[in-house]
Amino acid sequence: MNEEIHKRFMSSQEVEDGSKPRKGIKEIVINANDFIHGNLNPGKHDFGANLLIDGGHASGFAYYTFTIYEDGVYDIWSRYTSNEFRPVDISINRDVIKKGGLSTVTGGWTSDTLKWFKEATTELKKGDYLFELRSSNPIPHIEKFVIFKTGNTPTFISKEQNPPYLKTLYQHLRKNGIGTFLKKTSHYL
């Protein structure tokens, strides 16, 4: 399946989710499950649809490809969930651009605790690139990566980064129950 996605990705056809980069696009979306080579588990689990997990390996790696159509400085963001510290090294064309990325604990392992994180800012020239994840330990549960020109943060990231105050309280209350909610917020009262 991943090989088929890679073939379509590199051809003139678009990948079904619209992530095929083309001239004039605002961002490149790389779904974590769409790696072209790796030892990770893209879907045989109960943690949530579209999450990439380590699959029980003591270490993990995955390779992806993407194309940049315009020279510039780009931000690389990840969307993942993790209930423990599980850092991952991120490389572009075999050069490590972030050692210990994807390392924030989000409070869970499933889709309901997914969060966006800025991983790196790097200069990229027009051309094809190899994007690599590598860890000597288990990895967080990853949904996707987004690459875009610095200063052009997509609205789907900025909306999630700045959720309305009451929505955040409601999500915390719903996830943790009234007792835990009161323990964690009573010092603000």
Side-chain angles (χ1 to χ4, degrees), residues 62-87:
Y63 296 99
Y64 305 85
T65 57
F66 68 94
T67 302
I68 293 293
Y69 288 93
E70 188 177 334
D71 295 356
V73 178
Y74 287 82
D75 287 345
I76 299 169
W77 285 64
S78 63
R79 189 166 193 245
Y80 66 90
T81 183
S82 185
N83 205 28
E84 60 187 48
F85 181 71
R86 290 186 170 187

Side-chain angles (χ1 to χ4, degrees), residues 28-46:
I28 299 166
V29 177
I30 302 172
N31 292 312
N33 287 339
D34 294 342
F35 59 90
I36 57 171
H37 182 65
N39 68 343
L40 304 173
N41 180 348
K44 297 179 176 102
H45 56 76
D46 296 324

Side-chain angles (χ1 to χ4, degrees), residues 153-184:
T153 305
T155 55
F156 59 85
I157 291 177
S158 57
K159 279 183 181 179
E160 191 173 307
Q161 286 299 104
N162 303 305
Y165 177 70
L166 290 177
K167 182 180 177 185
T168 303
L169 288 175
Y170 171 74
Q171 288 172 338
H172 190 281
L173 177 62
R174 188 171 151 215
K175 181 178 182 269
N176 299 304
I178 189 73
T180 303
F181 174 79
L182 290 174
K183 282 181 193 174
K184 289 187 174 188

